Amino acid sequence: MKLLSKRIPSPGGSVFSNVDVKTPFLYQGVLSAVLIAAIMLSAVITVEASPHRDKIISFEAQPGYFALSIDGTPVPLYISDQDHPGVIRAYRDLQADIERVTHNQPDLHIGEIPNTDRIIIAGTVGLSPVIDRLSDEGAIDISGLEGKWEKFHIEVVSNPVEGVGEALVIVGSDRRGTTFGIYEMSKQIGVSPWHWWADVPVVHQSDIYVSPERYTIGEPGVQYRGIFINNENPGLLGWVVTRYGWFTHEFYEHVFELILRLQGNYLWPAMWGKAFHDDDPMNPKLADEYGVVIGYSHHEPMMRAHIEWSRYGEGPWDYSQNEERLREFWTEGI
């Protein structure tokens, strides 16, 4: 999939900001890529509850619904400091997304649960002591998550811990499961996965209510799902160089977030004269923190970008003539 192909983005903001209207093919290329990415990544999710993803959010009070925000005042968030760093990072995104919708930032508590009437609790099975305790006490049932790949539940629990009257609980089978549950809440309250890349506006809502019924979209139908940044020159190249200097982790963090917000998990990085691991040592470290799996495309085997042979290789790129050097090169890549 050529997600970021044939575009001439401006350096002013996201790729749609201050676009030169004399480049009409930009819109066709970007919007086509947007649609392809969204369709491809969403089509491989297996929805257990119904053929269409259920709406669990109401912007009007409903009997039994969890009040996430009343009169623009959102409830606080809690997550264990023992959870994956990438999950905690995604939870900070939810904090920012709730502020985008309500115009008020909820408090985020990491490590210690505050005394409050209502709270949102997120956590990964086996990593969050609160989640594990709720399971042990029978307050939540995680049997449908055990051994599952990237699955989550969202449900409302009464009196989850001492001092808290009610909690909206987001629990994942693994780190991406929890992350997907967090971003599902962002999407349901009205923040598009494309809010940054496509400047998708967010509708202001003062009141947000969540259905008390347990919600899940099940496991993905395809284990690895993602984006291939191909043919990125010249359009994406010019924008990246202007904003970030090169294809560094400052650029890729936006790509990683997009993939996860679309409930993907996989990336083939930019390849025309680029080397994901070699250009910025923070690139693979950040990918691991986010939980995005990195692969390479057809002509870049064993985690070695093609341009790295020009930088470090010796002799011809021909296994029949240069077996020893190529084996050393690929072994170093692995």
Side-chain angles (χ1 to χ4, degrees), residues 52-224:
H52 304 286
R53 189 165 297 185
D54 296 326
K55 183 73 173 177
I56 62 173
I57 295 295
S58 173
F59 300 115
E60 298 179 355
Q62 302 287 342
Y65 273 46
F66 176 87
L68 189 153
S69 175
I70 299 176
D71 294 331
T73 302
V75 301
L77 312 178
Y78 165 78
I79 192 168
S80 170
D81 55 6
Q82 299 178 40
D83 219 312
H84 284 286
V87 174
I88 297 174
R89 185 209 58 77
Y91 212 37
R92 294 188 187 277
D93 284 345
L94 178 60
Q95 179 190 32
D97 291 341
I98 292 173
E99 182 179 13
R100 290 184 175 99
V101 175
T102 66
H103 296 175
N104 286 294
Q105 185 183 84
D107 293 333
L108 174 59
H109 300 267
I110 301 175
E112 185 173 345
I113 301 180
N115 291 328
T116 181
D117 289 338
R118 299 182 312 279
I119 197 169
I120 304 176
I121 297 173
T124 307
V125 172
L127 290 179
S128 171
V130 172
I131 293 296
D132 292 346
R133 185 167 70 248
L134 289 174
S135 173
D136 293 340
E137 294 173 352
I140 61 174
D141 181 5
I142 63 169
S143 60
L145 297 176
E146 293 172 344
K148 298 299 184 180
W149 179 263
E150 300 176 348
K151 187 177 179 181
F152 66 84
H153 290 163
I154 299 174
E155 59 187 296
V156 176
V157 177
S158 298
N159 303 312
V161 296
E162 185 177 356
V164 177
E166 191 178 36
L168 180 69
V169 179
I170 305 169
V171 54
S173 62
D174 51 30
R175 60 175 174 170
R176 282 191 294 267
T178 311
T179 297
F180 294 161
I182 290 168
Y183 282 138
E184 179 71 10
M185 283 302 305
S186 291
K187 183 160 54 177
Q188 291 252 354
I189 66 175
V191 179
S192 167
W194 297 93
H195 76 97
W196 189 87
W197 283 98
D199 293 330
V200 179
V202 177
V203 177
H204 173 240
Q205 304 286 354
S206 295
D207 300 322
I208 305 173
Y209 298 88
V210 187
S211 170
E213 301 296 326
R214 178 191 290 178
Y215 174 78
T216 182
I217 61 172
E219 290 185 280
V222 175
Q223 190 171 23
Y224 293 101

Side-chain angles (χ1 to χ4, degrees), residues 245-316:
W246 194 240
F247 286 72
T248 61
H249 69 280
E250 287 91 349
F251 160 71
Y252 275 113
E253 65 182 357
H254 296 293
V255 180
F256 299 154
E257 181 185 328
L258 173 66
I259 290 171
L260 293 173
R261 282 183 181 268
L262 289 170
Q263 294 175 345
N265 58 14
Y266 192 62
L267 174 69
W268 283 1
M271 61 178 213
W272 284 35
K274 327 296 189 309
F276 180 81
H277 290 81
D278 198 49
D279 288 341
D280 183 354
M282 281 298 298
N283 283 342
K285 293 179 181 179
L286 196 66
D288 183 63
E289 177 182 317
Y290 274 66
V292 174
V293 180
I294 302 300
Y296 273 101
S297 59
H298 44 289
H299 74 288
E300 299 189 317
M302 310 300 175
M303 306 300 288
R304 295 307 295 260
H306 187 74
I307 192 65
E308 290 184 69
W309 183 253
S310 301
R311 298 174 183 176
Y312 309 115
E314 297 180 17

Side-chain angles (χ1 to χ4, degrees), residues 309 313-326 330:
W309 183 253
E314 297 180 17
W317 178 260
D318 186 333
Y319 192 74
S320 65
Q321 301 181 41
N322 199 17
E323 174 182 347
E324 182 178 355
R325 293 294 187 185
L326 281 167
W330 290 329

